Amino acid sequence: MNDRSLITLCAPVHTHKEGQAQIAFKILNLNPKANTSLWFEIPEEFRAFLSERSDAGMISMIVPAMQANKDLFIEGVVSKKLLAEINTGKFQEILIRAMPKLKRITVRAESTRDQPEIKPQYKSMGFSAGGDSFATLLASSSLGIKEFTHLTHYDVGSHGRGKAGKKVFQTRVVRVQSAARKIGLPVIPVNSNLNDFYDKETDFISTSVVRNAAATLVIQRGMAEYVFSGAYHRRRQGILLKGDITRAEDEFTPLLSTESLKFSVFGSDMTRAEKIVLIAKHPITYDLLDVCMEPRKVRNKINCSTCYKCLRAMINLEILGQLDSYAPVFDLKLYRRLRWWALAQFLNGAEESRAETEALARETGFEFPAFSKFCARPIPFWFARFAKKVIERIP
């Protein structure tokens, strides 16, 4: 169908070359200048997992279609359950709460099925070697929950754009594969050009659940269940949702399930401080933990050691008395130069996050320095931000 009032997702095309199995969807009428192809690639060894349906493409194009305020037509076969949720459930409502500029649309499909392609048998989770994913993996094991059979790592926007983003993805895949060998699980990396269909205003965090679900639907012939690593304790969800879809992950994630693939969230009953306490007990994390949100600033370690997430992790590790254990992944010399700022930034930050770490500090007897408390005040904090930028550039 090529009705120009609609965005059309053409039926999937499968190709196999250079050790990769690819599924691609031609997109009509999204970009007025040209037709475009959306693609996902996985290693040939996982070829049997590659779906023949259009679910992955449909979920990929929901946000771009809602941005364009155009209905979406899907060629090929899609999940009857998922299509119904998109059109009549809370799916679009939650997306609009997170991104108010989106418009409600109608999605139609050439064909639907209420049965899986085959009966899948595996259970996977997204693994970045970050705090949330390590907590999911380690807590699941210690609680006796059915073990995961596979780990996944996706290129759907979290690594950045263009060639630089692809380079970060490849670097992280190698690191994740190294971690997975120690854990004893196979990794399924999914490479894609999905990020090209999201403009720079639609950042990764606002659409992360949708993007990761799309990549998982690519391999739904093999996966019966996929577990998201929760970012927020459930008491922090449902508020400040604008711009951050993960603040609705407990409510939103299950809506992405199909007849064959169940999506769920683990970790919503854990605070970030509790996750740090958990992972710090496991030496496997000492030379693998990757929490950095600015990988292009990394010098000679896994983490840049200056971004907000790096500094927050190091504060918690210092409070626990475990910071030196993570010398392989953090630049501790740089941290100690910026420690005053890190603590000031933390004390100046969101109350919900601060309360969790302050409770941990009370338990361990950690005292926040008076100078950092002073720098956390509004006017000193304004000047301290500039001082931090100068100090972090010193070799």
Side-chain angles (χ1 to χ4, degrees), residues 2 36 57 74 138 192 203 225 254 267 274 302 358 371:
N2 195 13
T36 312
I74 312 298
L138 297 171
S192 81
D203 61 12
E225 184 174 358
E274 288 170 339
I302 288 176
E358 286 178 335
F371 182 65

Side-chain angles (χ1 to χ4, degrees), residues 231-379:
Y232 292 101
H233 193 286
R234 60 176 51 90
R235 67 170 172 259
R236 294 173 60 182
Q237 295 187 39
I239 57 174
L240 302 175
L241 178 55
K242 184 178 179 180
D244 187 353
I245 193 65
T246 57
R247 285 188 177 266
E249 59 194 354
D250 278 8
E251 181 183 10
F252 185 65
T253 298
L255 307 183
L256 293 151
S257 300
T258 67
E259 289 80 3
S260 59
L261 175 60
K262 175 186 176 184
F263 286 106
S264 62
V265 180
F266 184 87
S268 302
D269 57 348
M270 301 177 70
T271 67
R272 192 160 298 282
E274 288 170 339
K275 291 177 182 179
I276 288 290
V277 171
L278 169 65
I279 67 175
K281 294 177 181 177
H282 295 270
I284 193 173
T285 66
Y286 294 170
D287 59 358
L288 295 171
L289 186 65
D290 181 357
V291 301
C292 189
M293 61 188 294
E294 296 187 29
R296 297 183 191 185
K297 292 172 61 177
V298 171
R299 297 179 182 179
N300 57 355
K301 300 287 183 176
I302 288 176
N303 299 276
C304 76
S305 305
T306 64
C307 72
Y308 173 74
K309 289 183 69 175
C310 283
L311 294 175
R312 181 180 62 187
M314 287 188 282
I315 289 170
N316 281 289
L317 290 168
E318 181 181 356
I319 290 172
L320 286 173
Q322 289 277 34
L323 182 58
D324 288 342
S325 299
Y326 289 85
V329 298
F330 291 114
D331 186 337
L332 300 189
K333 180 180 177 181
L334 180 58
Y335 170 71
R336 288 178 176 121
R337 286 206 304 261
L338 293 173
R339 180 177 181 271
W340 63 276
W341 159 261
L343 294 168
Q345 179 180 238
F346 167 75
L347 292 169
N348 182 265
E351 181 179 353
E352 56 186 19
S353 178
R354 189 171 68 245
E356 295 171 1
T357 299
E358 286 178 335
L360 182 63
R362 287 192 295 272
E363 291 177 15
T364 60
F366 180 85
E367 293 287 341
F368 291 94
F371 182 65
S372 292
K373 291 180 180 178
F374 169 76
C375 290
R377 297 175 180 176
I379 294 178

